[in-house]
mmCIF file of all heavy atoms in Angstrom:
data_model
loop_
_atom_site.group_PDB
_atom_site.id
_atom_site.type_symbol
_atom_site.label_atom_id
_atom_site.label_comp_id
_atom_site.label_asym_id
_atom_site.label_seq_id
_atom_site.Cartn_x
_atom_site.Cartn_y
_atom_site.Cartn_z
ATOM 1 N N GLU A 1 -0.600 -5.625 9.619
ATOM 2 C CA GLU A 1 -0.112 -5.334 8.260
ATOM 3 C C GLU A 1 -0.691 -6.343 7.282
ATOM 4 O O GLU A 1 -1.131 -5.973 6.189
ATOM 5 C CB GLU A 1 1.417 -5.384 8.208
ATOM 6 C CG GLU A 1 2.000 -4.926 6.881
ATOM 7 C CD GLU A 1 1.840 -5.912 5.741
ATOM 8 O OE1 GLU A 1 2.007 -7.123 5.968
ATOM 9 O OE2 GLU A 1 1.557 -5.483 4.602
ATOM 10 N N ARG A 2 -0.719 -7.604 7.657
ATOM 11 C CA ARG A 2 -1.280 -8.635 6.763
ATOM 12 C C ARG A 2 -2.761 -8.362 6.483
ATOM 13 O O ARG A 2 -3.222 -8.521 5.363
ATOM 14 C CB ARG A 2 -1.096 -10.018 7.375
ATOM 15 C CG ARG A 2 0.325 -10.505 7.268
ATOM 16 C CD ARG A 2 0.473 -11.899 7.803
ATOM 17 N NE ARG A 2 1.871 -12.307 7.707
ATOM 18 C CZ ARG A 2 2.420 -13.237 8.450
ATOM 19 N NH1 ARG A 2 1.693 -13.880 9.367
ATOM 20 N NH2 ARG A 2 3.688 -13.554 8.289
ATOM 21 N N GLU A 3 -3.472 -7.963 7.512
ATOM 22 C CA GLU A 3 -4.894 -7.685 7.321
ATOM 23 C C GLU A 3 -5.098 -6.469 6.413
ATOM 24 O O GLU A 3 -5.949 -6.481 5.520
ATOM 25 C CB GLU A 3 -5.597 -7.487 8.657
ATOM 26 C CG GLU A 3 -7.103 -7.487 8.497
ATOM 27 C CD GLU A 3 -7.855 -7.768 9.783
ATOM 28 O OE1 GLU A 3 -7.232 -8.010 10.826
ATOM 29 O OE2 GLU A 3 -9.092 -7.713 9.721
ATOM 30 N N LEU A 4 -4.305 -5.418 6.629
ATOM 31 C CA LEU A 4 -4.376 -4.256 5.733
ATOM 32 C C LEU A 4 -4.097 -4.670 4.296
ATOM 33 O O LEU A 4 -4.811 -4.294 3.367
ATOM 34 C CB LEU A 4 -3.344 -3.204 6.131
ATOM 35 C CG LEU A 4 -3.708 -2.117 7.098
ATOM 36 C CD1 LEU A 4 -2.502 -1.224 7.330
ATOM 37 C CD2 LEU A 4 -4.885 -1.315 6.645
ATOM 38 N N ASN A 5 -3.042 -5.440 4.120
ATOM 39 C CA ASN A 5 -2.646 -5.865 2.788
ATOM 40 C C ASN A 5 -3.753 -6.710 2.139
ATOM 41 O O ASN A 5 -4.066 -6.521 0.962
ATOM 42 C CB ASN A 5 -1.345 -6.649 2.843
ATOM 43 C CG ASN A 5 -0.727 -6.806 1.479
ATOM 44 O OD1 ASN A 5 -0.545 -5.851 0.754
ATOM 45 N ND2 ASN A 5 -0.417 -8.032 1.124
ATOM 46 N N ASN A 6 -4.338 -7.601 2.894
ATOM 47 C CA ASN A 6 -5.421 -8.437 2.357
ATOM 48 C C ASN A 6 -6.616 -7.598 1.934
ATOM 49 O O ASN A 6 -7.253 -7.886 0.920
ATOM 50 C CB ASN A 6 -5.873 -9.486 3.378
ATOM 51 C CG ASN A 6 -4.871 -10.599 3.541
ATOM 52 O OD1 ASN A 6 -4.043 -10.848 2.663
ATOM 53 N ND2 ASN A 6 -4.925 -11.268 4.674
ATOM 54 N N LEU A 7 -6.923 -6.570 2.679
ATOM 55 C CA LEU A 7 -8.076 -5.722 2.350
ATOM 56 C C LEU A 7 -7.807 -4.755 1.197
ATOM 57 O O LEU A 7 -8.622 -4.605 0.298
ATOM 58 C CB LEU A 7 -8.501 -4.905 3.570
ATOM 59 C CG LEU A 7 -9.204 -5.686 4.676
ATOM 60 C CD1 LEU A 7 -9.308 -4.819 5.929
ATOM 61 C CD2 LEU A 7 -10.582 -6.141 4.225
ATOM 62 N N PHE A 8 -6.673 -4.098 1.235
ATOM 63 C CA PHE A 8 -6.439 -2.984 0.320
ATOM 64 C C PHE A 8 -5.697 -3.344 -0.965
ATOM 65 O O PHE A 8 -5.749 -2.601 -1.921
ATOM 66 C CB PHE A 8 -5.717 -1.841 1.036
ATOM 67 C CG PHE A 8 -6.606 -1.097 1.981
ATOM 68 C CD1 PHE A 8 -6.737 -1.493 3.295
ATOM 69 C CD2 PHE A 8 -7.327 -0.003 1.547
ATOM 70 C CE1 PHE A 8 -7.563 -0.827 4.173
ATOM 71 C CE2 PHE A 8 -8.167 0.680 2.414
ATOM 72 C CZ PHE A 8 -8.284 0.268 3.730
ATOM 73 N N SER A 9 -5.013 -4.465 -0.994
ATOM 74 C CA SER A 9 -4.263 -4.794 -2.207
ATOM 75 C C SER A 9 -5.131 -5.516 -3.235
ATOM 76 O O SER A 9 -4.684 -5.758 -4.338
ATOM 77 C CB SER A 9 -3.035 -5.630 -1.867
ATOM 78 O OG SER A 9 -3.429 -6.900 -1.394
ATOM 79 N N LEU A 10 -6.345 -5.839 -2.897
ATOM 80 C CA LEU A 10 -7.240 -6.540 -3.826
ATOM 81 C C LEU A 10 -8.301 -5.620 -4.389
ATOM 82 O O LEU A 10 -9.377 -6.055 -4.765
ATOM 83 C CB LEU A 10 -7.931 -7.705 -3.097
ATOM 84 C CG LEU A 10 -7.011 -8.735 -2.478
ATOM 85 C CD1 LEU A 10 -7.812 -9.726 -1.650
ATOM 86 C CD2 LEU A 10 -6.211 -9.447 -3.546
ATOM 87 N N SER A 11 -8.009 -4.355 -4.450
ATOM 88 C CA SER A 11 -9.063 -3.389 -4.725
ATOM 89 C C SER A 11 -8.993 -2.778 -6.117
ATOM 90 O O SER A 11 -9.470 -1.674 -6.323
ATOM 91 C CB SER A 11 -9.019 -2.300 -3.660
ATOM 92 O OG SER A 11 -7.715 -1.789 -3.575
ATOM 93 N N GLY A 12 -8.417 -3.467 -7.066
ATOM 94 C CA GLY A 12 -8.448 -3.004 -8.446
ATOM 95 C C GLY A 12 -7.745 -1.679 -8.678
ATOM 96 O O GLY A 12 -6.583 -1.508 -8.340
ATOM 97 N N GLU A 13 -8.487 -0.741 -9.248
ATOM 98 C CA GLU A 13 -7.920 0.548 -9.663
ATOM 99 C C GLU A 13 -7.224 1.300 -8.544
ATOM 100 O O GLU A 13 -6.189 1.900 -8.736
ATOM 101 C CB GLU A 13 -9.031 1.422 -10.257
ATOM 102 C CG GLU A 13 -8.584 2.772 -10.737
ATOM 103 C CD GLU A 13 -7.573 2.726 -11.863
ATOM 104 O OE1 GLU A 13 -7.604 1.767 -12.663
ATOM 105 O OE2 GLU A 13 -6.735 3.642 -11.951
ATOM 106 N N ASN A 14 -7.755 1.251 -7.342
ATOM 107 C CA ASN A 14 -7.170 2.002 -6.237
ATOM 108 C C ASN A 14 -5.948 1.324 -5.628
ATOM 109 O O ASN A 14 -5.265 1.921 -4.805
ATOM 110 C CB ASN A 14 -8.215 2.265 -5.147
ATOM 111 C CG ASN A 14 -9.126 3.414 -5.512
ATOM 112 O OD1 ASN A 14 -8.671 4.418 -6.043
ATOM 113 N ND2 ASN A 14 -10.396 3.263 -5.246
ATOM 114 N N GLU A 15 -5.682 0.104 -6.065
ATOM 115 C CA GLU A 15 -4.503 -0.600 -5.553
ATOM 116 C C GLU A 15 -3.215 0.193 -5.818
ATOM 117 O O GLU A 15 -2.311 0.203 -5.010
ATOM 118 C CB GLU A 15 -4.393 -1.990 -6.166
ATOM 119 C CG GLU A 15 -3.234 -2.792 -5.626
ATOM 120 C CD GLU A 15 -3.164 -4.182 -6.210
ATOM 121 O OE1 GLU A 15 -4.001 -4.543 -7.047
ATOM 122 O OE2 GLU A 15 -2.247 -4.913 -5.815
ATOM 123 N N LYS A 16 -3.183 0.915 -6.928
ATOM 124 C CA LYS A 16 -1.967 1.691 -7.246
ATOM 125 C C LYS A 16 -1.721 2.754 -6.181
ATOM 126 O O LYS A 16 -0.580 3.051 -5.849
ATOM 127 C CB LYS A 16 -2.049 2.311 -8.631
ATOM 128 C CG LYS A 16 -3.077 3.405 -8.784
ATOM 129 C CD LYS A 16 -3.108 3.966 -10.195
ATOM 130 C CE LYS A 16 -4.176 5.031 -10.285
ATOM 131 N NZ LYS A 16 -4.324 5.534 -11.624
ATOM 132 N N HIS A 17 -2.775 3.332 -5.603
ATOM 133 C CA HIS A 17 -2.608 4.332 -4.554
ATOM 134 C C HIS A 17 -2.071 3.685 -3.274
ATOM 135 O O HIS A 17 -1.292 4.296 -2.535
ATOM 136 C CB HIS A 17 -3.930 5.048 -4.265
ATOM 137 C CG HIS A 17 -4.462 5.778 -5.458
ATOM 138 N ND1 HIS A 17 -3.830 6.879 -6.009
ATOM 139 C CD2 HIS A 17 -5.536 5.546 -6.235
ATOM 140 C CE1 HIS A 17 -4.506 7.293 -7.059
ATOM 141 N NE2 HIS A 17 -5.541 6.504 -7.214
ATOM 142 N N TYR A 18 -2.484 2.463 -3.024
ATOM 143 C CA TYR A 18 -1.983 1.703 -1.881
ATOM 144 C C TYR A 18 -0.469 1.474 -2.028
ATOM 145 O O TYR A 18 0.300 1.753 -1.107
ATOM 146 C CB TYR A 18 -2.738 0.368 -1.808
ATOM 147 C CG TYR A 18 -2.290 -0.557 -0.700
ATOM 148 C CD1 TYR A 18 -2.688 -0.320 0.612
ATOM 149 C CD2 TYR A 18 -1.516 -1.664 -0.968
ATOM 150 C CE1 TYR A 18 -2.303 -1.181 1.640
ATOM 151 C CE2 TYR A 18 -1.128 -2.525 0.044
ATOM 152 C CZ TYR A 18 -1.529 -2.285 1.342
ATOM 153 O OH TYR A 18 -1.142 -3.132 2.349
ATOM 154 N N ILE A 19 -0.066 1.047 -3.194
ATOM 155 C CA ILE A 19 1.354 0.797 -3.468
ATOM 156 C C ILE A 19 2.142 2.106 -3.440
ATOM 157 O O ILE A 19 3.258 2.156 -2.904
ATOM 158 C CB ILE A 19 1.533 0.047 -4.803
ATOM 159 C CG1 ILE A 19 0.917 -1.360 -4.659
ATOM 160 C CG2 ILE A 19 2.994 -0.036 -5.212
ATOM 161 C CD1 ILE A 19 0.753 -2.103 -5.949
ATOM 162 N N GLU A 20 1.576 3.163 -4.000
ATOM 163 C CA GLU A 20 2.240 4.474 -3.959
ATOM 164 C C GLU A 20 2.473 4.918 -2.518
ATOM 165 O O GLU A 20 3.513 5.487 -2.192
ATOM 166 C CB GLU A 20 1.411 5.523 -4.692
ATOM 167 C CG GLU A 20 1.435 5.392 -6.191
ATOM 168 C CD GLU A 20 0.441 6.288 -6.904
ATOM 169 O OE1 GLU A 20 -0.328 7.010 -6.239
ATOM 170 O OE2 GLU A 20 0.418 6.248 -8.146
ATOM 171 N N GLY A 21 1.507 4.660 -1.643
ATOM 172 C CA GLY A 21 1.664 4.991 -0.232
ATOM 173 C C GLY A 21 2.818 4.240 0.398
ATOM 174 O O GLY A 21 3.601 4.805 1.180
ATOM 175 N N GLN A 22 2.948 2.964 0.055
ATOM 176 C CA GLN A 22 4.058 2.171 0.574
ATOM 177 C C GLN A 22 5.395 2.765 0.122
ATOM 178 O O GLN A 22 6.317 2.924 0.915
ATOM 179 C CB GLN A 22 3.946 0.720 0.110
ATOM 180 C CG GLN A 22 2.817 -0.023 0.771
ATOM 181 C CD GLN A 22 2.672 -1.438 0.264
ATOM 182 O OE1 GLN A 22 2.789 -1.696 -0.919
ATOM 183 N NE2 GLN A 22 2.403 -2.356 1.185
ATOM 184 N N VAL A 23 5.473 3.114 -1.139
ATOM 185 C CA VAL A 23 6.708 3.695 -1.685
ATOM 186 C C VAL A 23 7.019 5.039 -1.027
ATOM 187 O O VAL A 23 8.165 5.317 -0.662
ATOM 188 C CB VAL A 23 6.621 3.828 -3.222
ATOM 189 C CG1 VAL A 23 7.789 4.623 -3.783
ATOM 190 C CG2 VAL A 23 6.538 2.440 -3.860
ATOM 191 N N LEU A 24 6.007 5.873 -0.848
ATOM 192 C CA LEU A 24 6.213 7.178 -0.210
ATOM 193 C C LEU A 24 6.765 7.039 1.203
ATOM 194 O O LEU A 24 7.656 7.795 1.612
ATOM 195 C CB LEU A 24 4.913 7.981 -0.185
ATOM 196 C CG LEU A 24 4.480 8.581 -1.502
ATOM 197 C CD1 LEU A 24 3.066 9.140 -1.397
ATOM 198 C CD2 LEU A 24 5.454 9.655 -1.956
ATOM 199 N N PHE A 25 6.235 6.068 1.950
ATOM 200 C CA PHE A 25 6.735 5.881 3.314
ATOM 201 C C PHE A 25 8.195 5.446 3.287
ATOM 202 O O PHE A 25 9.021 5.982 4.015
ATOM 203 C CB PHE A 25 5.908 4.880 4.104
ATOM 204 C CG PHE A 25 6.363 4.776 5.523
ATOM 205 C CD1 PHE A 25 5.985 5.728 6.460
ATOM 206 C CD2 PHE A 25 7.233 3.781 5.945
ATOM 207 C CE1 PHE A 25 6.436 5.676 7.777
ATOM 208 C CE2 PHE A 25 7.681 3.708 7.255
ATOM 209 C CZ PHE A 25 7.286 4.660 8.175
ATOM 210 N N ILE A 26 8.519 4.520 2.436
ATOM 211 C CA ILE A 26 9.903 4.043 2.345
ATOM 212 C C ILE A 26 10.831 5.174 1.887
ATOM 213 O O ILE A 26 11.933 5.319 2.409
ATOM 214 C CB ILE A 26 9.984 2.811 1.426
ATOM 215 C CG1 ILE A 26 9.252 1.632 2.104
ATOM 216 C CG2 ILE A 26 11.431 2.442 1.112
ATOM 217 C CD1 ILE A 26 8.970 0.458 1.217
ATOM 218 N N ASP A 27 10.369 5.996 0.965
ATOM 219 C CA ASP A 27 11.154 7.141 0.498
ATOM 220 C C ASP A 27 11.449 8.139 1.616
ATOM 221 O O ASP A 27 12.448 8.859 1.573
ATOM 222 C CB ASP A 27 10.453 7.872 -0.647
ATOM 223 C CG ASP A 27 10.598 7.159 -1.973
ATOM 224 O OD1 ASP A 27 11.401 6.212 -2.072
ATOM 225 O OD2 ASP A 27 9.868 7.541 -2.921
ATOM 226 N N SER A 28 10.596 8.199 2.629
ATOM 227 C CA SER A 28 10.802 9.154 3.730
ATOM 228 C C SER A 28 12.083 8.857 4.507
ATOM 229 O O SER A 28 12.624 9.726 5.189
ATOM 230 C CB SER A 28 9.597 9.184 4.665
ATOM 231 O OG SER A 28 9.448 7.964 5.354
ATOM 232 N N PHE A 29 12.607 7.657 4.368
ATOM 233 C CA PHE A 29 13.846 7.305 5.060
ATOM 234 C C PHE A 29 15.044 8.031 4.477
ATOM 235 O O PHE A 29 16.085 8.135 5.137
ATOM 236 C CB PHE A 29 14.074 5.789 5.027
ATOM 237 C CG PHE A 29 13.222 5.059 6.032
ATOM 238 C CD1 PHE A 29 11.897 4.816 5.764
ATOM 239 C CD2 PHE A 29 13.739 4.661 7.233
ATOM 240 C CE1 PHE A 29 11.096 4.165 6.677
ATOM 241 C CE2 PHE A 29 12.949 4.001 8.171
ATOM 242 C CZ PHE A 29 11.630 3.763 7.884
ATOM 243 N N ALA A 30 14.930 8.560 3.296
ATOM 244 C CA ALA A 30 16.016 9.315 2.689
ATOM 245 C C ALA A 30 16.272 10.623 3.416
ATOM 246 O O ALA A 30 17.346 11.221 3.277
ATOM 247 C CB ALA A 30 15.721 9.588 1.229
#
C-alpha cells in the first residue's frame, strides 16, 4: 500500500482519480 501510494499519489492531475478510487472502495462498505 505504501509503495502504491508513493507511486500514484504524486502524479498531478490524475491524483484525483487515485483518491476517487479510495473513496469508492470505502463507500462499498455501505
